[in-house]
Amino acid sequence: MKLDKLNQWLSLLANVGVLVGLVFLIAELNQANRIAVYTAESTRSSQFIGMNSSRIENPEIIAKLMQPDPEFTDIEWVQALYTARQQVNTWIDAENAVINGLLSETTRRGVFNDIDVVIAEMPGLIPAWDYLFEGYKLDETSDLETMAYLFTAVQKYKQDHAAQQQEP
């Protein structure tokens, strides 16, 4: 009888120990998830800092990219193309991080705002984006939401710009 009671108490203590261990594990996983989210947000900020630094270091090409329909030298075309690629890769990276739960919905919406701002501020990138759209066969049906949005936003900008050019 005493042995049965002792076994019951030991079994209860073992179950409580397992439960405490599970609670601790859940807390650790939650903390690891928060660290991963912070790291992803921090990486995204670092990407933008790097892009902005490279733009500050190359003001001539940025001045051209801020003009609609700029005329590029061969070197400037390569700079424009790689600036467009860098921007696109940053947006795709953010979308993948959102899909994997590492960035917030707010950040996802911020990507679309950023696309709109970059198109407005640097319409000289449009030929480079068109080149990338053609090369990678991207359009408004792209599986990547950011690329479909970019394609649509670029087409809208071009239509609006063409309409403005036709106004007297």
Side-chain angles (χ1 to χ4, degrees):
M1 197 55 98
K2 282 186 176 184
L3 192 55
D4 287 340
K5 282 282 190 203
L6 180 61
N7 281 337
Q8 287 176 346
W9 280 108
L10 289 174
S11 182
L12 178 64
L13 287 174
N15 288 336
V16 168
V18 167
L19 186 60
V20 167
L22 286 174
V23 168
F24 180 73
L25 180 64
I26 290 169
E28 288 294 315
L29 288 173
N30 189 28
Q31 181 180 11
N33 188 46
R34 286 194 319 266
I35 291 169
V37 168
Y38 169 78
T39 301
E41 292 283 357
S42 179
T43 299
R44 181 166 160 67
S45 294
S46 295
Q47 287 173 327
F48 279 107
I49 289 168
M51 281 191 302
N52 289 335
S53 294
S54 71
R55 289 174 182 159
I56 290 168
E57 293 166 2
N58 298 295
E60 299 83 14
I61 187 63
I62 297 308
K64 277 202 171 182
L65 293 176
M66 294 179 83
Q67 302 169 18
D69 307 316
E71 301 225 359
F72 295 118
T73 65
D74 289 344
I75 291 172
E76 290 169 338
W77 170 245
V78 171
Q79 289 175 314
L81 184 58
Y82 279 90
T83 299
R85 273 198 175 126
Q86 185 180 39
Q87 194 69 60
V88 164
N89 288 336
T90 299
W91 292 328
I92 290 171
D93 183 52
E95 180 173 354
N96 287 327
V98 169
I99 289 168
N100 291 299
L102 296 174
L103 291 175
S104 66
E105 178 64 22
T106 301
T107 300
R108 187 186 77 79
R109 287 190 306 268
V111 168
F112 299 119
N113 292 338
D114 192 48
I115 289 171
D116 292 334
V117 167
V118 171
I119 289 171
E121 287 181 350
M122 290 195 266
L125 282 174
I126 288 176
W129 284 323
D130 283 339
Y131 177 85
L132 294 175
F133 295 151
E134 185 177 324
Y136 292 104
K137 311 285 188 259
L138 296 171
D139 59 22
E140 68 277 356
T141 63
S142 173
D143 290 338
L144 290 169
E145 191 177 3
T146 50
M147 292 304 91
Y149 185 89
L150 175 62
F151 181 86
T152 302
V154 165
Q155 301 314 309
K156 182 180 180 328
Y157 175 88
K158 290 189 321 190
Q159 289 170 353
D160 293 348
H161 183 66
Q164 287 174 353
Q165 298 291 24
Q166 291 179 353
E167 290 178 4

